[in-house]
Amino acid sequence: MDTPKNQLLLKRPVNIKAIVTPRWKEEAQQQLQGQLNQIDQQLQQLEVQGQRAITELQKQSVQPPGPQVMQQIDNIQSQVNQRKSELLEQKNQSLQQLQQVQLLELNQEVSQGTIESIFTVELGDNLLDKWQVEILLRDGVVEEIRGDI
C-alpha cells in the first residue's frame, strides 16, 4: 500500500469498552461460571490422575515400598499439590471476577481489552489525539467511536 511522502502509517492500541446491560451481565456471569466449572473438572481429574499414578507405583514395587519408590510418590504428590494450588488460585480469581460483575451497575462502562488499529499521520496532525481512540459497545454492537480516527 503506497502512502504519500508526507504521511506515515502507524499502529495504535484501541481500547474496547462495554456498557453494562442485563444481557452483558448475564453473558459475563455465564462465561465466568463456565470457567469455574472447567477448573472444578480439572481439579477432579488431577486428583484421580495423581491417585492412579501413585497406585501404579505401589503395584509395581515390592512391599513395603523402598526409599526410591517413596521418593517418586512424594514427587507425584508434590506435583499434584503444586498444580492444585495453581488451579485454586485461578478459581479464586474467577470467583472474585464473578462477584465484581454482580456488583456492576447498569449503564456503567467497563474495559474489555484492546485491539490494534492502523492509522495515518501526516504533517500537522496531533499525534496524541490520534493515539487516544476507544470503541464503546452495547451488547456487542459499536455504539460510539471516541477519538480522532
Side-chain angles (χ1 to χ4, degrees), residues 2-104:
D2 291 336
T3 55
K5 290 185 180 190
N6 62 346
Q7 291 184 342
L8 186 62
L9 289 177
L10 299 174
K11 281 186 184 179
R12 65 178 163 205
V14 176
N15 294 320
I16 306 296
K17 288 187 173 181
I19 297 172
V20 176
T21 64
R23 178 178 165 192
W24 182 91
K25 278 182 98 165
E26 183 180 324
E27 288 174 357
Q29 289 171 341
Q30 286 176 353
Q31 181 181 8
L32 288 166
Q33 192 59 55
Q35 288 175 3
L36 288 168
N37 294 342
Q38 187 175 19
I39 291 169
D40 284 339
Q41 286 177 340
Q42 289 175 345
L43 283 166
Q44 288 175 343
Q45 288 174 349
L46 180 66
E47 200 65 44
V48 168
Q49 289 170 348
Q51 275 308 117
R52 190 177 296 142
I54 290 171
T55 302
E56 277 301 311
L57 269 175
Q58 290 171 337
K59 282 181 184 176
Q60 294 173 4
S61 70
V62 293
Q63 295 300 327
Q68 188 177 16
V69 172
M70 292 306 293
Q71 180 63 45
Q72 288 176 323
I73 290 172
D74 286 346
N75 288 343
I76 290 170
Q77 196 59 50
S78 176
Q79 289 173 0
V80 166
N81 288 340
Q82 181 179 350
R83 181 67 180 135
K84 186 188 277 187
S85 178
E86 292 169 4
L87 288 170
L88 288 172
E89 178 60 31
Q90 287 177 10
K91 184 175 181 175
N92 189 38
Q93 288 175 356
S94 293
L95 285 168
Q96 288 176 353
Q97 290 173 340
L98 184 60
Q99 186 178 22
Q100 290 171 347
V101 166
Q102 291 168 342
L103 295 174
L104 290 174

